[in-house]
Amino acid sequence: ELKVEQNPLFLSMQEGKNYTIYCNYSTTSDRLYWYRQDPGKSLESLFVLLSNGAVKQEGRLMASLDTKARLSTLHITAAVHDLSATYFCAVDGIGTSGSRLTFGEGTQLTVNP
Amino acid sequence: DADVTQTPRNRITKTGKRIMLECSQTKGHDRMYWYRQDPGLGLRLIYYSFDVKDINKGEISDGYSVSRQAQAKFSLSLESAIPNQTALYFCATWDTSNYGYTFGSGTRLTVV
């Protein structure tokens, strides 16, 4: 059974600071997704990482994937208040049962002025 | 129009009632999914379908059933709703051409 763990679950940071959210998963997969969710809203796709060593950047966010370590990171650079949201990683359980996502618990990020 | 549309957006129902949540998509994707989100938890998979004739249970299918009426439509039913089924429900599709998942806006269901 695929398990996905994120840490930290809660993150309070000051504007201008850098931080990293970690996503560990338990079985082999080379497709990992990062989403953002604002309160009461749907999931907004941030990054799709499709291979070992994949790195993608958009604005102040950068995501990477190490399939050998079964680890993905979401790095926040010079945080701003608008980044306050909950961030989820999700791993695609590729195999005989086909594609379906298993989600981490989410990291609730608060960026304070 | 949204690529993945869920109806209703909000619903309050009584314990024991049967309720159906509907999902339709305009992208022509074969693969569709139903997820449930509880506060403080990530999304958990209820059922998924890879085509009209294919239905698969997810990790939390007990108490739920689904129907894939057409490629574009995938409905989730609660046969006899109970309060611990109060949650936010999301439908999603998967695009085989770019590996991207698209989520609907969600249905907030409250069972009283």
Side-chain angles (χ1 to χ4, degrees):
Chain A
E1 180 188 352
L2 174 59
K3 294 188 184 301
V4 181
E5 294 184 345
Q6 287 181 236
N7 72 83
L9 299 183
F10 298 93
L11 177 56
S12 181
M13 56 191 299
Q14 285 189 314
E15 282 190 330
K17 299 294 186 182
N18 304 331
Y19 209 83
T20 299
I21 299 171
Y22 297 88
C23 176
N24 292 273
Y25 55 99
S26 62
T27 62
T28 301
S29 175
D30 57 3
R31 285 210 294 260
L32 190 138
Y33 300 75
W34 283 97
Y35 293 94
R36 168 182 172 145
Q37 187 181 38
D38 292 297
K41 303 293 187 181
S42 186
L43 278 74
E44 173 191 353
S45 179
L46 295 175
F47 301 107
V48 181
L49 304 172
L50 299 176
S51 62
N52 185 42
V55 178
K56 291 195 173 181
Q57 183 165 3
E58 181 72 33
R60 301 175 188 274
L61 301 177
M62 183 174 70
S64 66
L65 177 61
D66 181 344
T67 59
K68 294 180 181 178
R70 298 177 186 169
L71 171 68
S72 180
T73 61
L74 180 66
H75 187 71
I76 303 158
T77 301
V80 293
H81 179 70
D82 284 352
L83 290 179
S84 296
T86 299
Y87 293 84
F88 291 97
C89 66
V91 178
D92 207 326
I94 305 166
T96 57
S97 298
S99 295
R100 59 193 188 281
L101 291 178
T102 299
F103 282 81
E105 308 98 314
T107 297
Q108 187 174 317
L109 172 65
T110 302
V111 181
N112 303 301
Chain B
D1 288 342
D3 295 338
V4 180
T5 301
Q6 292 184 234
T7 56
R9 291 295 307 274
N10 293 281
R11 181 73 181 267
I12 300 174
T13 192
K14 293 184 177 180
T15 298
K17 293 291 188 182
R18 185 179 188 275
I19 183 169
M20 179 181 289
L21 309 183
E22 300 191 2
C23 176
S24 62
Q25 52 118 345
T26 59
K27 301 296 285 183
H29 296 159
D30 287 327
R31 300 187 181 189
M32 298 187 73
Y33 306 80
W34 275 104
Y35 286 90
R36 164 181 173 159
Q37 184 178 26
D38 296 282
L41 297 177
L43 280 69
R44 292 181 291 167
L45 183 61
I46 307 173
Y47 271 96
Y48 59 105
S49 169
F50 287 168
D51 65 40
V52 174
K53 297 181 181 180
D54 177 78
I55 300 290
N56 303 282
K57 293 183 177 180
E59 61 180 303
I60 55 165
S61 59
D62 287 349
Y64 301 94
S65 63
V66 291
S67 173
R68 185 82 183 265
Q69 303 95 320
Q71 186 195 43
K73 295 184 182 296
F74 192 36
S75 300
L76 177 71
S77 293
L78 287 67
E79 298 301 326
S80 179
I82 57 177
N84 77 1
Q85 291 177 313
T86 294
L88 186 55
Y89 290 85
F90 288 103
C91 176
T93 68
W94 188 63
D95 187 344
T96 56
S97 67
N98 65 11
Y99 303 103
Y101 288 83
T102 302
F103 286 83
S105 299
T107 294
R108 184 169 297 280
L109 176 66
T110 303
V111 183
V112 297

